Amino acid sequence: MSTYVLYLCCLSRVVTPIFLARAKTLNSVKIGICGLGTVGSGAVNVLGRNADEINARAGCEIVISQIGARRDNPACDLGDISVSRDIFDVAENPEIDILVELIGGTTVAKELVLKAIENGKHVVTANKALIAEFGNEIFAAATEKGVTVAYEAAVAGGIPIIKALREGLSANHIEWLAGIINGTGNFILTEMRDKGRDFADVLKEAQELGYAEADPTFDVEGIDAAHKLVILASLAFGMPLQFDSVFTEGISKVEPQDVIYAQELGYRIKHLGIASRSPENGGIALRVHPTLIPEKRLIANVDGVMNAVLVNGDAVGPTLYYGPGAGAEPTASSVIADVVDLARTLTATPEHRVPHLGFQSDKLNDFDMLPISEVETAYYLRFSALDTPGVLSKITQILSDAKISVEAVIQKEPGAGEDHVPLIILTDRVIEKSLDSAVTQIQQMDSIAGEITKIRVEALG
Ligand code: HSE
């Protein structure tokens, strides 16, 4: 012991600055926030309001050292925080430990994140498009530099689903996950169903509430959900991010009558992202599309801007994560959780930090990616059929020849002066290419008018 004390005393002049440097890292972590829109202003407000609790959890003081934003946002009070109109000033600021990227998009944001990494900063981002499309490159750059890129806010807003998959479920072999992962789309479908509101009108409200993407076609055409699904799938299965492999269909073609017929059959239409492993060959299918779900399932009752992700692990069984999927403070909640995590691990060596996709980077799998044509599911089909004898039996004959069994049929009375009637069929599970070939044959029947509506059905249980 005395030798040890003597040794420290002898070296005290040398070690003091090292201790000071270490103490500085532990006592305060400096962050720079780039982007002061909905989420950026939410992050400033929550960090200010809950500073004591956040710092107590982090074990150090989290200080917003600089903000990079083209304009201020009246939704938050910046006090004496230094603001730069050039976001790259934040990436170049040597004081900053963590750059928080909240500008969105994939061009400038990518450049900014790579610059921050090059300068040895950790990064927190809410940018799902950036991670889904360029995550492999960004994670490789971060690993090379020994820094971490954290992205909890990129998926399902305030729900800590990344952490659940990466840490909470790390004992499990995950077979599938399915989620309502676009708040805007869920808000639109809910308002259409409950209040009979017009699609465009609800979308406008979602934009005003700050839920929708800068380009709302990302929400209504399923691109935003596809970005999020890719991230969840990589964490669940341990594979590189593969945005190009997602089959994507939005909600823009869901008609009010389908919402009503689905209800008559005991289902709700939800826009789901589904990632599953084929039990036959282990291939992975990633798909985003409107889906009929039995109305008794919890996830079928997730309404408005709320998100939910159902994950089925072999050890734990089905687990459901629910919460607000968009909005200023819910998303800020996830952003700040990442900052706290990083602040806690700042002293850990890179190899002892949690890997970007949960699995060690040299252990990622190279799965076969299955096209939608190989996916097996059940289907809701709606035909506009001539109201004459024999039409229904011809349709069911075509389905039966293709070995597709029919689970339910609804036929409506023709409206006044109309000779075609809506005919709805629910099928049993079948491989999509077999269903498509039967639907093509039915489509060619003279007694069928217009395009046949096809919506996938999942029991999720
Ligand atoms: N536009 C997205 C949504 C925002 O509606 O879910 C959150 O990612």
Side-chain angles (χ1 to χ4, degrees):
M1 172 63 115
S2 56
T3 314
Y4 181 60
V5 171
L6 179 65
Y7 176 74
L8 279 181
C9 291
C10 294
L11 289 180
S12 65
R13 298 182 68 157
V14 179
V15 296
T16 301
I18 298 170
F19 279 170
L20 281 180
R22 175 70 53 89
K24 177 173 171 277
T25 308
L26 289 174
N27 289 336
S28 77
V29 165
K30 303 242 167 48
I31 71 169
I33 298 179
C34 294
L36 201 58
T38 305
V39 181
S41 60
V44 172
N45 287 335
V46 176
L47 272 168
R49 192 173 71 232
N50 295 344
D52 290 347
E53 279 177 75
I54 291 168
N55 294 340
R57 289 186 172 118
C60 60
E61 190 188 355
I62 292 172
V63 179
I64 305 176
S65 216
Q66 189 174 24
I67 284 181
R70 270 176 301 183
R71 61 188 75 86
D72 291 344
N73 186 337
C76 64
D77 176 8
L78 297 183
D80 57 2
I81 304 170
S82 129
V83 180
S84 169
R85 296 295 173 216
D86 181 356
I87 50 171
F88 283 86
D89 288 349
V90 180
E92 298 292 359
N93 183 342
E95 246 203 351
I96 285 171
D97 302 299
I98 303 170
L99 182 141
V100 180
E101 183 277 303
L102 302 174
I103 62 170
T106 52
T107 47
V108 179
K110 181 180 171 202
E111 213 185 312
L112 177 73
V113 164
L114 289 174
K115 177 52 77 181
I117 291 169
E118 187 187 315
N119 290 341
K121 299 183 193 317
H122 299 281
V123 173
V124 170
T125 178
N127 192 332
K128 53 262 162 161
L130 183 69
I131 297 298
E133 295 182 35
F134 301 103
N136 297 325
E137 179 186 342
I138 289 170
F139 294 158
T143 303
E144 174 83 25
K145 267 286 178 179
V147 295
T148 298
V149 176
Y151 51 93
E152 180 66 70
V155 183
I159 308 175
I161 185 64
I162 304 289
K163 191 172 257 305
L165 282 169
R166 201 181 50 201
E167 274 109 57
L169 297 176
S170 58
N172 288 265
H173 179 75
I174 293 173
E175 288 300 344
W176 57 265
L177 61 84
I180 295 171
I181 43 181
N182 181 264
T184 303
N186 202 37
F187 181 61
I188 294 172
L189 284 178
T190 305
E191 293 288 302
M192 280 172 70
R193 186 196 69 215
D194 288 354
K195 302 183 189 153
R197 285 180 67 190
D198 179 60
F199 186 102
D201 172 46
V202 192
L203 175 57
K204 190 162 166 284
E205 189 184 340
Q207 286 175 290
E208 284 160 8
L209 291 167
Y211 302 154
E213 295 303 297
D215 176 357
T217 56
F218 274 47
D219 297 296
V220 296
E221 297 307 340
I223 302 157
D224 178 73
H227 283 141
K228 294 165 180 169
L229 181 70
V230 163
I231 298 172
L232 293 179
S234 287
L235 286 157
F237 304 132
M239 61 185 198
L241 297 143
Q242 301 190 49
F243 180 61
D244 293 344
S245 302
V246 192
F247 169 82
T248 306
E249 200 175 275
I251 57 165
S252 57
K253 292 203 187 87
V254 175
E255 292 190 30
Q257 57 177 322
D258 294 318
V259 174
I260 295 163
Y261 297 143
Q263 253 174 308
E264 280 185 35
L265 289 159
Y267 290 82
R268 293 226 168 141
I269 299 183
K270 291 290 178 191
H271 193 231
L272 289 190
I274 303 174
S276 56
R277 255 184 235 272
S278 158
E280 280 81 40
N281 57 25
I284 303 290
L286 305 180
R287 53 199 169 105
V288 167
H289 51 68
T291 312
L292 269 75
I293 312 172
E295 66 189 0
K296 290 211 169 71
R297 294 263 177 267
L298 278 175
I299 196 168
N301 294 282
V302 171
D303 286 334
V305 73
M306 302 308 269
N307 280 194
V309 184
L310 189 52
V311 183
N312 198 39
D314 68 337
V316 70
T319 56
L320 181 67
Y321 307 84
Y322 168 84
E329 295 206 355
T331 313
S333 162
S334 288
V335 167
I336 296 166
D338 275 346
V339 170
V340 170
D341 267 359
L342 280 175
R344 285 172 178 159
T345 61
L346 269 175
T347 51
T349 49
E351 64 274 20
H352 293 111
R353 294 189 192 130
V354 178
H356 288 109
L357 290 171
F359 289 63
Q360 299 298 329
S361 55
D362 59 346
K363 296 277 188 269
L364 292 178
N365 298 294
D366 181 19
F367 291 119
D368 281 343
M369 300 304 291
L370 303 180
I372 190 76
S373 55
E374 296 298 333
V375 168
E376 185 189 275
T377 183
Y379 294 87
Y380 162 101
L381 302 172
R382 177 170 53 79
F383 313 90
S384 179
L386 195 62
D387 188 24
T388 52
V391 176
L392 177 58
S393 74
K394 176 134 195 238
I395 292 173
T396 50
Q397 187 60 50
I398 292 173
L399 293 173
S400 152
D401 290 348
K403 304 203 167 15
I404 300 168
S405 108
V406 170
E407 292 286 295
V409 179
I410 302 181
Q411 183 169 341
K412 295 288 175 185
E413 297 279 312
E418 287 178 4
D419 52 4
H420 284 74
V421 290
L423 174 66
I424 295 97
I425 292 185
L426 267 194
T427 74
D428 203 350
R429 289 176 74 82
V430 54
I431 299 282
E432 179 131 342
K433 65 184 172 199
S434 309
L435 189 278
D436 281 348
S437 117
V439 166
T440 305
Q441 281 184 61
I442 298 170
Q443 187 76 74
Q444 284 159 1
M445 288 167 54
D446 291 339
S447 44
I448 298 295
E451 210 176 311
I452 298 170
T453 296
K454 172 182 94 179
I455 306 181
R456 298 168 189 87
V457 181
E458 291 287 353
L460 299 179

